[in-house]
Amino acid sequence: VPGSGKSHTIDQIINGESYERVVFHPDYTYSDFVGQIMPKLEETENGEEKLTYKFIPGPFTKIMKEANKADNKGKMFYLVIEEINRGNAPAIFGEVFQLLDRENGESEYGINNFDIAKYIYGVGKEEEEIKIPSNLTILATMNTADQNVFTLDTAFKRRWTLRSIKNDIAG
């Protein structure tokens, strides 16, 4: 319930490690979370402007890139989603939903996405399968009192370990 210390509990788990924090809300989208291709005017060598399109990563893709860097393999990273049920979580996750099934910490199944792979793994590795690495943990909060905002279906919920935080108004 509100005020029970969900965010505080997550801060204790993170304990100073690297993280990205987002808050889901009704207008939050896949493009916000994962990333999107945006137009950009760039100046050419002769001073003219040229319209280009560039992938702008969202918090999911940014933290994936950091966790996948070779020199970060022994370090933990966290993606914190506050109020996961206040946005349309299945739509926000899109195909990334497939990555939530994990075995030994890594995604059991991968996905293919040219732009995400290029951003995470680099130029020339756009065909590489994307998986959440074992050094990246996704934590989320949800008010059970607000479950009717956007319900999380059983298929989505089963991919998470749920933990109830009691509201201790006496302490």
Side-chain angles (χ1 to χ4, degrees):
V1 297
S4 63
K6 296 177 297 300
S7 296
H8 175 73
T9 300
I10 285 180
D11 287 344
Q12 299 303 308
I13 294 168
I14 293 171
N15 194 24
E17 297 287 344
S18 295
Y19 68 93
E20 287 276 341
R21 188 180 297 255
V22 301
V23 179
F24 280 12
H25 54 81
D27 292 330
Y28 200 73
T29 66
Y30 172 89
S31 296
D32 297 320
F33 184 61
V34 177
Q36 60 188 312
I37 297 172
M38 298 288 292
K40 182 179 179 183
L41 283 176
E42 293 184 350
E43 193 171 320
T44 62
E45 290 178 18
N46 61 2
E48 295 178 8
E49 287 187 331
K50 176 183 173 185
L51 182 63
T52 61
Y53 293 90
K54 183 178 179 180
F55 178 73
I56 308 300
F60 172 80
T61 307
K62 287 178 186 176
I63 199 77
M64 283 277 290
K65 180 177 183 171
E66 290 304 310
N68 274 288
K69 288 181 178 176
D71 54 340
N72 284 338
K73 291 297 182 184
K75 183 178 177 187
M76 279 305 298
F77 291 82
Y78 296 91
L79 174 60
V80 178
I81 303 168
E82 299 279 4
E83 308 288 348
I84 194 168
N85 63 314
R86 289 211 166 262
N88 185 349
I92 293 168
F93 273 83
E95 82 271 12
V96 170
F97 174 81
Q98 185 74 20
L99 304 179
L100 297 178
D101 281 321
R102 296 171 82 168
E103 188 172 299
N104 299 320
E106 183 181 71
S107 296
E108 188 174 352
Y109 310 105
I111 61 169
N112 294 305
N113 183 302
F114 180 91
D115 294 306
I116 297 171
K118 182 178 178 181
Y119 180 80
I120 293 172
Y121 306 122
V123 176
K125 296 187 177 185
E126 296 89 350
E127 301 299 324
E128 193 162 324
E129 189 174 58
I130 299 160
K131 290 186 174 187
I132 297 173
S134 60
N135 65 330
L136 174 58
T137 296
I138 302 173
L139 302 171
T141 66
M142 176 176 81
N143 288 330
T144 55
D146 295 335
Q147 285 188 56
N148 62 345
V149 176
F150 278 97
T151 57
L152 299 177
D153 63 33
T154 305
F156 193 82
K157 280 186 189 177
R158 79 168 182 80
R159 289 167 168 83
W160 302 82
T161 301
L162 301 177
R163 177 177 162 195
S164 179
I165 298 175
K166 302 275 188 239
N167 191 11
D168 182 9
I169 59 173

